[in-house]
Amino acid sequence: MPKARAVTSLILRRQTRHPWKSEALEELLDLLPEVHEIHYEPWRDWRRMEEGLTNTSKARDTLPSDQLRRMVIFENFHGNNPGMSLPVQAAELDTAYALVEASLGLEHLAASFNSDASHFFDACQKWSIWPRLESLALTWNALKSQQQSSYINDLLGTIAVVAMKMPRLKLMELWNGRAGFAGVFQYQILESDCTAKITWRSTCDLPLEPRILKAWQAVASERVGCKLQVFTEILDANVVITSHGDAIRYLMLLSTVVHPVSLWQIQKETAYRTPILAQIGWFTVI
């Protein structure tokens, strides 16, 4: 087949209802040599986690390193929580390395539920600079536990060190959501008025330790040379979070982590499923 050079963006939404085989994805991308943006929403394949990993890396490796600028990956799963079995965790570790390698040449990366932010930043240690990266959005499992505030602060310190290697970084969002919980750590540079701010927006509080604020002040000073502003926004107690779809809505993420139509589908599916699961005792809205 002839190559379609007029195509610059590729969207594979969750509506396909199955993961693409890596070979098919590679063949498709080979026909689209001018693509600079990929939006991919695969379904988690419990039987073939390693192929899911290959799909993640193939989407980047098939294209020239100086061409792809934006990548959005949102891994779908059935139910309100992605599974955390050992095979899934092992695949997430390998996927993290593929995502880090991809991010080295990207301007924008959003990866949700296919790897954890902690794995991503662990994998970052061997690289020295991200010359193009302007925005980064990742899901972070630790945010779901209110008992891990010390661990979260420790990792935020490590992440600040990595952020120092991203000279063009304007936005970082580390988030998660499930039934009863939503939370995001948001770092943002506003070049228009030369300001930098950190926002913690969630259904629960997260005390940020002084050493962490100092570390992120150093990151901000590298870019805008001004004092870091810190905001805490606790979601209203009347807000009901029934799924990760609701979490995305109420967290008001600045990054595009999922296609708007896909988000609408997730919310509609959850609204239909929640009363049924509640009746049989499989689901509780907190």
Side-chain angles (χ1 to χ4, degrees):
M1 294 180 64
K3 297 183 183 295
R5 298 187 179 278
V7 178
T8 59
S9 180
L10 175 63
I11 300 176
L12 301 172
R13 289 205 308 105
R14 69 191 295 272
Q15 202 161 330
T16 59
R17 293 288 173 179
H18 70 278
W20 285 63
K21 290 186 176 181
S22 57
E23 296 83 1
L25 188 60
E26 186 173 3
E27 290 177 9
L28 177 61
L29 292 172
D30 185 59
L31 297 174
L32 307 174
E34 301 300 324
V35 163
H36 58 73
E37 177 177 358
I38 293 178
H39 190 117
Y40 183 37
E41 299 175 354
W43 282 86
R44 175 163 291 179
D45 189 336
W46 300 98
R47 295 165 299 177
R48 295 186 296 181
M49 288 301 298
E50 289 187 0
E51 184 167 15
L53 159 65
T54 304
N55 286 348
T56 299
S57 56
K58 285 285 186 182
R60 182 64 178 82
D61 294 341
T62 307
L63 297 176
S65 59
D66 61 346
Q67 183 167 298
L68 192 60
R69 290 292 180 265
R70 180 185 296 268
M71 178 180 281
V72 177
I73 303 176
F74 186 92
E75 185 167 282
N76 292 275
F77 49 87
H78 295 285
N80 286 283
N81 292 295
M84 288 302 294
S85 63
L86 290 177
V88 171
Q89 293 181 50
E92 283 191 354
L93 286 169
D94 290 337
T95 301
Y97 282 94
L99 289 172
V100 170
E101 290 183 354
S103 69
L104 295 171
L106 295 175
E107 294 176 0
H108 307 278
L109 171 63
S112 304
F113 300 113
N114 62 333
S115 186
D116 187 66
S118 61
H119 302 325
F120 180 92
F121 289 107
D122 282 344
C124 283
Q125 303 306 315
K126 63 180 290 188
W127 281 278
S128 59
I129 190 168
W130 281 254
R132 295 174 176 169
L133 195 63
E134 297 181 7
S135 71
L136 177 64
L138 303 169
T139 42
W140 190 8
N141 289 325
L143 296 182
K144 295 186 294 186
S145 175
Q146 299 181 36
Q147 285 73 44
Q148 296 195 56
S149 60
S150 178
Y151 167 73
I152 293 172
N153 273 273
D154 287 343
L155 190 50
L156 285 174
T158 300
I159 294 171
V161 174
V162 177
M164 293 287 282
K165 303 176 184 179
M166 302 174 177
R168 299 185 62 183
L169 186 68
K170 300 176 183 178
L171 175 65
M172 180 185 292
E173 294 180 298
L174 308 175
W175 71 280
N176 213 319
R178 56 173 171 78
F181 170 80
V184 61
F185 172 88
Q186 184 182 84
Y187 166 79
Q188 184 181 12
I189 291 288
L190 301 173
E191 293 184 328
S192 58
D193 54 2
C194 193
T195 60
K197 67 176 183 177
I198 281 177
T199 301
W200 170 253
R201 184 179 297 113
S202 179
T203 52
C204 60
D205 193 17
L206 174 65
L208 295 175
E209 299 174 8
R211 61 186 177 91
I212 302 306
L213 298 179
K214 182 178 179 180
W216 283 95
Q217 175 65 72
V219 177
S221 296
E222 285 288 314
R223 291 299 314 276
V224 293
C226 65
K227 186 175 181 179
L228 181 69
Q229 302 177 37
V230 181
F231 301 90
T232 297
E233 301 175 10
I234 304 301
L235 297 180
D236 191 281
N238 294 323
V239 170
V240 177
I241 308 293
T242 62
S243 71
H244 54 304
D246 287 338
I248 294 171
R249 172 189 172 191
Y250 287 110
L251 291 176
M252 298 182 291
L253 301 179
L254 299 176
S255 306
T256 298
V257 299
V258 64
H259 192 281
V261 176
S262 297
L263 178 58
W264 177 84
Q265 288 177 334
I266 292 170
Q267 291 180 295
K268 286 294 182 181
E269 291 168 5
T270 304
Y272 172 78
R273 183 172 58 242
T274 298
I276 298 174
L277 296 180
Q279 281 186 341
I280 61 178
W282 287 6
F283 182 87
T284 302
V285 177
I286 300 175

